[in-house]
Amino acid sequence: MVKTADPVAVRERVRTFALGLPGAVEDFPWGESVVKAGKKVFVFLGVGDGSCPPGITLKLTDPEAHAHALSSPGVESAGYGLGRAGWVRVSLAERGAPPAELLCDWAEESYRVIAPKKLIAELDGG
């Protein structure tokens, strides 16, 4: 039996990781928590008040990472047409959902797709 980690703790770990990336800031458009690099969102964290199932949405444009994500329990193409651009929604409450470590890797990949080049250079130590 696959044990599911606490979805709220996983969400918070991803949030903390994402906010630690260069230039990352949290914002609350549409009543939902997002993390932005520059003026662009790279992680949607949902409402986080318990009114909706915990989940995150990230942009994965690398074909292998995207396919791997979609083969994982609780992961689907994001709604509102975002899926066509590589966005995936991860239900954190799903049994066998990706672990926090992998979600942080995906958050960094999403950041690298969205963030301005100067911030990516800073992340890479340049």
Side-chain angles (χ1 to χ4, degrees):
M1 182 159 122
V2 178
K3 184 177 181 329
T4 302
D6 173 23
V8 174
V10 170
R11 178 190 181 276
E12 185 56 28
R13 180 143 176 226
V14 173
R15 178 185 168 275
T16 300
F17 173 83
L19 287 171
L21 295 169
V25 295
E26 188 169 22
D27 195 6
F28 299 91
W30 320 290
E32 133 172 32
S33 172
V34 301
V35 183
K36 294 180 174 183
K39 295 181 191 249
K40 295 183 176 182
V41 175
F42 70 96
V43 177
F44 290 87
L45 294 163
V47 277
D49 64 1
S51 65
C52 297
I56 61 172
T57 303
L58 314 123
K59 187 168 187 170
L60 302 175
T61 58
D62 175 75
E64 284 185 33
H66 190 84
H68 177 248
L70 290 176
S71 71
S72 301
V75 181
E76 62 187 9
S77 285
Y80 306 107
L82 294 173
R84 289 189 303 270
W87 290 90
V88 295
R89 166 123 171 90
V90 182
S91 173
L92 300 176
E94 184 81 21
R95 179 182 304 255
E101 296 79 21
L102 180 57
L103 294 171
C104 288
D105 287 347
W106 290 350
E108 182 177 329
E109 181 175 334
S110 186
Y111 175 87
R112 288 180 179 278
V113 171
I114 298 295
K117 288 182 174 134
K118 68 177 184 154
L119 293 178
I120 295 169
E122 188 177 329
L123 177 64
D124 292 337

